[in-house]
């Protein structure tokens, strides 16, 4: 195992532990959920193939589901953003070389576009599957927007 792979494994374990033991224990009200684990998917190395990204995304969601007692909700949301990640990276890149967005390397708009769209999508899928009632659409959208804003700011703060 090389240094980069070891770093990815350590990142996975740390984010999973933070999510399960710290973030899941936080209660900030019904509208705010602290979900730190999607950072693993967002900031995986860019040279990983699409199949590796999808596998690691599904594994991330499955691990959170397994350790928090959910039934595939996180796995579905993680797999969706893992699928869209390469397209979003390509869309925000200014040149032919695709790189992970960083507040220091690219414009802040590109960083928050990438993070924002994928986090919003993750949260929308997660909360829609969790609630699973059409009449709860305003609640789902409000919860998605507020939780996404909180988590986008948190991820931006962590990545600085």
């Amino acid at each position: 195992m090389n240094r980069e792979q070891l770093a990815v494994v350590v990142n996975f374990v740390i984010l999973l532990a933070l999510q399960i033991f710290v973030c899941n224990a936080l209660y900030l009200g019904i509208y705010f959920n602290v979900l730190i684990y999607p950072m693993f998917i967002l900031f995986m190395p860019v040279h990983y193939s699409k199949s590796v990204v999808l596998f690691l995304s599904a594994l991330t969601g499955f691990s959170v589901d397994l350790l928090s007692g959910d039934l595939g909700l996180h796995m579905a949301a993680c797999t969706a953003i893992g699928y869209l990640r390469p397209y979003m990276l390509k869309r925000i890149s200014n040149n032919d070389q695709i790189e992970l967005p960083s507040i220091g390397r690219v414009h802040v708009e590109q960083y928050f576009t990438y993070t924002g769209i994928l986090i919003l999508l993750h949260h929308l899928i997660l909360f829609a599957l969790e609630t699973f009632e059409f009449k709860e659409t305003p609640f789902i959208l409000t919860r998605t927007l507020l939780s996404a804003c909180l988590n986008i700011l948190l991820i931006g703060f962590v990545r600085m």
Side-chain angles (χ1 to χ4, degrees):
M1 182 180 298
N2 66 26
R3 189 176 297 234
E4 180 185 276
Q5 291 169 334
L6 181 63
V8 169
V9 170
V10 168
N11 191 18
F12 176 81
V13 171
I14 289 172
L15 286 173
L16 186 63
L18 278 173
Q19 182 62 49
I20 299 303
F21 298 117
V22 177
C23 297
N24 285 358
L26 291 175
Y27 181 73
L28 302 175
I30 191 95
Y31 290 106
F32 294 99
N33 289 44
V34 179
L35 301 171
I36 194 84
Y37 70 92
M39 271 182 64
F40 176 73
I41 299 164
L42 295 175
F43 301 107
M44 260 188 258
V46 293
H47 62 81
Y48 283 6
S49 69
K50 290 178 184 178
S51 58
V52 169
V53 171
L54 276 176
F55 173 75
L56 291 175
S57 298
L59 180 66
T60 302
F62 178 74
S63 300
V64 173
D65 283 332
L66 186 68
L67 296 171
S68 63
D70 292 326
L71 300 171
L73 303 176
H74 297 275
M75 187 175 178
C78 287
T79 304
I81 66 169
Y83 178 78
L84 292 174
R85 177 183 179 264
Y87 303 107
M88 286 298 300
L89 284 171
K90 194 177 290 186
R91 184 144 178 94
I92 65 162
S93 294
N94 289 332
N95 50 22
D96 292 335
Q97 184 179 2
I98 295 174
E99 58 183 27
L100 283 174
S102 171
I103 292 176
R105 275 190 274 156
V106 296
H107 298 291
V108 174
E109 308 95 43
Q110 290 173 317
Y111 177 80
F112 283 108
T113 299
Y114 169 75
T115 306
I117 289 173
L118 290 179
I119 292 294
L120 273 169
L121 180 65
H122 174 272
H123 289 18
L124 181 61
I125 292 168
L126 180 66
F127 298 145
L129 289 174
E130 187 178 77
T131 306
F132 209 68
E133 288 188 36
F134 187 72
K135 68 180 182 180
E136 297 292 333
T137 301
F139 170 71
I140 293 168
L141 294 176
T142 304
R143 190 174 176 201
T144 297
L145 185 62
L146 293 175
S147 290
C149 288
L150 172 69
N151 291 310
I152 291 165
L153 290 174
L154 181 62
I155 290 169
F157 177 73
V158 170
R159 290 288 296 179
M160 286 177 78

